[in-house]
Amino acid sequence: MVSIFSKDPLFWNTWAQHTLKNALTLQKLNQNTAKNLILFLGDGMGIPTVTAARILKGQLSGLSGEETQLEMDKFPFVALSKTYNTNAQVSDSAGTATAYLCGVKANEGTVGVSAAAVRSQCNTTQGNEVTSILRWAKEAGKSVGIVTTTRVNHATPSAAYAHCVDRDWFSDGEMPAEAVQAGCKDIARQLFENIPNIDVIMGGGRKYMFPKNQSDVEYPGEKKHFGTRKDGRNLVEEWTNRMKNKVSSKYVWNKKELLSLNPNNVDYILGLFEPGDLPYNLERNTETDPSLTEMVELAIKILRKNPRGFYLLVEGGRIDHGHHEGKAKQALHEAVEMDRAIGRADLITSIYDTMTVVTADHSHMFNFGGYTPRGNTIFGLAPMLSDVDQKPFTAILYGNGPGFKVINGLRENVSTLDYQENNYQAQSAVPLRMETHGGEDVAVFAKGPMAHLLHGVHEQNYIPHVMAYAACIGQNRDHCMSSSGAFSLSPALPSMAALLTLTRLLC
């Protein structure tokens, strides 16, 4: 419902003055050392998705929606990130993950390796590995965690721990025989071998951890959920056995087991809640599958016990899947759920010692328009008919994707459909089985220590360097004072040789 005060200039002037006073306080920069780092990654959460999710959040509360604030909207610093891969103008989630986790731009389809590695060519892996901020944090003595709504070995989380020339090598069952014989490791195996004792791992992907044809604990009769590993290894059992000496470790596979845990008594957790990706939040079984918010809350409560702090990667991964399927309602509800998780994280951390960054890996061919009036349901129709084919159209449309339909040579009449149904596929301009990513810049929201370093327009690989600088980890430690929580006055500067090299590259 539109505010009755919005017609009064006093309403807008007062609001603007309040915002101005808050903005003036940002002159007092937070230059504390970041004890904790949290990166929220909305996979496929381009700026149009952020705006539409904001409207949806408000409308879910009975408001018109446009004036609503997402949790990320409240962050004081905002930047833009250039998302291209080294070999792609429009990026994928693997090459981008390598950028914002490892600090190095890479080729599409590869994770945790530099651009010298070639997708699917096993022999280009060795010597081209790059390490992630999650590893830097672990080596600095911090606790580390990964929480995702996709498989834990999907493109985004895998760049935190794996070095793989193909993002689809989920287990050895998906790898070509020659790659296995050449010594390349599948991503699920690397999850447990590359960085010992990742403190928190939560998401989907059970089937990639178990021997081929082993039935799933939750879906014992469904072959599509059976184990996929050809090497016969049971990685969950191996993890459980290895962690036996750590009495505070737990493996869980459903919400009841997860929420029954006392985070004060758990230091290590492996939570695998589905054979593949977790279901969309709109379709989630609230009795058996945890929400992203529930997983994030427990993760932080476990990780924050470490006096040296923590690094946590959180992925709202199915925003991307909803868009690929042309299902805007699924995608936007996923974005709203991630924003809810951001709000919960804010309640149990402090802006004084926790740097929180929210961003996306790439955008999508998703948008909304059509001169819709204030408060129009985000999933509704534009207020006029097309002046070409005289048919109605929804505000939400895709540039390409599965929503392209022609009936008797004409565009489908959406008014004959339930266009607000959860799985409705919005109309697209170009027919594709799966909608594609978009190539525009994405937003970066930041708060907490040194958040002001995220400003303007940056290359995507800048993000982990800023976060490492804020926390005094990785290669960004020389500027830190060991005796206090404040930064020294002299930031670390690159060597003259490095500057000259960079200058030559840019010329």
Side-chain angles (χ1 to χ4, degrees):
M1 186 174 180
V2 179
S3 170
I4 59 172
F5 303 109
S6 62
K7 295 181 181 180
D8 185 348
L10 180 64
F11 170 81
W12 297 107
N13 288 328
T14 302
W15 191 354
Q17 287 295 317
H18 176 72
T19 304
L20 177 59
K21 288 180 181 178
N22 286 340
L24 289 169
T25 66
L26 297 181
Q27 295 177 81
K28 302 171 185 176
L29 300 177
N30 181 345
Q31 299 189 65
N32 297 338
T33 299
K35 177 182 177 183
N36 310 312
L37 299 170
I38 305 176
L39 176 63
F40 281 94
L41 192 285
D43 197 314
M45 191 181 70
I47 291 174
T49 299
V50 173
T51 307
R54 177 188 304 129
I55 293 171
L56 173 59
K57 178 182 178 180
Q59 292 180 348
L60 290 171
S61 299
L63 305 171
S64 67
E66 298 84 0
E67 75 292 344
T68 301
Q69 275 194 309
L70 292 167
E71 295 300 325
M72 63 187 92
D73 291 341
K74 302 172 187 176
F75 285 29
F77 298 98
V78 181
L80 290 176
S81 168
K82 297 159 68 176
T83 63
Y84 66 92
N85 294 150
T86 50
N87 65 340
Q89 187 177 77
V90 179
S91 60
D92 94 313
S93 296
T96 50
T98 304
Y100 62 75
L101 290 174
C102 302
V104 175
K105 286 228 172 190
N107 293 330
E108 59 87 27
T110 66
V111 291
V113 289
S114 72
V118 180
R119 184 170 188 175
S120 303
Q121 292 187 19
C122 174
N123 63 358
T124 65
T125 307
Q126 192 169 359
N128 294 320
E129 299 92 343
V130 291
T131 58
S132 76
I133 187 171
L134 184 139
R135 180 183 281 275
W136 310 339
K138 189 69 173 176
E139 290 175 348
K142 295 183 182 294
S143 294
V144 296
I146 296 168
V147 175
T148 179
T149 52
T150 67
R151 290 152 275 184
V152 294
N153 50 346
H154 208 256
T156 295
S158 64
Y161 57 83
H163 312 288
C164 192
V165 292
D166 198 312
R167 58 174 287 180
D168 295 328
W169 291 355
F170 300 120
S171 77
D172 64 338
E174 290 76 37
M175 293 176 65
E178 57 268 23
V180 177
Q181 292 163 5
C184 278
K185 296 181 181 179
D186 64 86
I187 297 172
R189 180 180 167 191
Q190 292 189 56
L191 172 61
F192 298 103
E193 295 182 0
N194 286 6
I195 302 177
N197 305 332
I198 294 175
D199 304 78
V200 170
I201 303 169
M202 282 193 262
R206 270 198 309 262
K207 66 181 180 180
Y208 305 107
M209 314 300 169
F210 293 98
K212 191 172 179 64
N213 295 326
Q214 178 171 322
S215 62
D216 183 72
V217 63
E218 188 173 6
Y219 310 101
E222 298 186 39
K223 289 188 177 181
K224 66 179 180 180
H225 296 317
F226 285 6
T228 65
R229 302 198 62 82
K230 291 181 178 179
D231 60 10
R233 292 176 64 174
N234 183 327
L235 298 181
V236 171
E237 187 177 81
E238 290 179 18
W239 181 88
T240 303
N241 290 336
R242 190 174 80 241
M243 305 301 280
K244 277 182 179 176
N245 294 331
K246 304 179 187 299
V247 292
S248 55
S249 63
K250 295 289 183 182
Y251 167 65
V252 296
W253 62 268
N254 60 57
K255 176 178 174 177
K256 183 178 180 181
E257 291 180 345
L258 179 72
L259 298 188
S260 69
L261 299 177
N262 181 343
N264 294 322
N265 300 329
V266 178
D267 294 324
Y268 300 92
I269 182 170
L270 173 62
L272 300 175
F273 304 107
E274 285 289 327
D277 301 320
L278 272 60
Y280 287 121
N281 200 54
L282 279 176
E283 299 173 352
R284 179 172 61 89
N285 184 327
T286 56
E287 298 296 317
T288 58
D289 288 314
S291 67
L292 183 62
T293 301
E294 289 165 339
M295 291 191 289
V296 166
E297 179 170 8
L298 190 70
I300 292 175
K301 288 180 177 179
I302 291 172
L303 295 171
R304 71 182 181 184
K305 294 182 297 181
N306 186 337
R308 294 188 179 183
F310 65 83
Y311 173 87
L312 175 62
L313 168 64
V314 180
E315 183 196 20
R318 303 220 64 196
I319 301 169
D320 177 73
H321 295 174
H323 281 322
H324 277 308
E325 295 176 355
K327 299 175 180 177
K329 191 166 187 176
Q330 298 286 10
L332 296 184
H333 275 270
E334 292 295 305
V336 170
E337 172 57 26
M338 192 181 85
D339 196 66
R340 191 176 295 119
I342 294 168
R344 187 65 56 85
D346 176 72
L347 292 174
I348 55 178
T349 58
S350 168
I351 197 171
Y352 297 105
D353 68 0
T354 302
M355 183 187 204
T356 305
V357 175
V358 180
T359 189
D361 46 359
H362 53 73
S363 186
H364 273 270
M365 296 293 287
F366 161 87
N367 219 316
F368 69 99
Y371 304 115
T372 47
R374 179 83 181 274
N376 196 71
T377 170
I378 192 62
F379 304 116
L381 295 174
M384 71 282 208
L385 302 179
S386 164
D387 58 5
V388 176
D389 66 8
Q390 284 71 52
K391 289 181 180 178
F393 59 96
T394 54
I396 286 175
L397 296 168
Y398 285 92
N400 59 44
F404 179 93
K405 290 182 179 66
V406 173
I407 299 177
N408 297 324
L410 300 172
R411 183 171 66 93
E412 188 173 33
N413 189 334
V414 296
S415 66
T416 65
L417 307 171
D418 183 2
Y419 48 80
Q420 300 204 49
E421 190 265 329
N422 289 354
N423 290 302
Y424 170 73
Q425 293 177 308
Q427 290 185 332
S428 66
V430 176
L432 288 176
R433 288 188 179 89
M434 296 290 281
E435 175 266 1
T436 72
H437 296 168
E440 75 271 22
D441 299 348
V442 297
V444 186
F445 306 86
K447 69 174 181 178
M450 307 305 285
H452 58 279
L453 296 179
L454 285 162
H455 62 91
V457 181
H458 296 290
E459 296 289 354
Q460 194 168 41
N461 66 295
Y462 174 66
I463 294 170
H465 292 275
V466 169
M467 297 183 77
Y469 187 93
C472 297
I473 61 175
Q475 62 183 300
N476 291 285
R477 288 177 292 193
D478 294 343
H479 62 290
C480 303
M481 296 175 63
S482 59
S483 60
S484 76
F487 279 82
S488 65
L489 296 177
S490 301
L493 294 174
S495 68
M496 183 59 68
L499 285 174
L500 288 172
T501 300
L502 181 59
T503 301
R504 284 196 297 270
L505 289 171
L506 293 175
C507 290

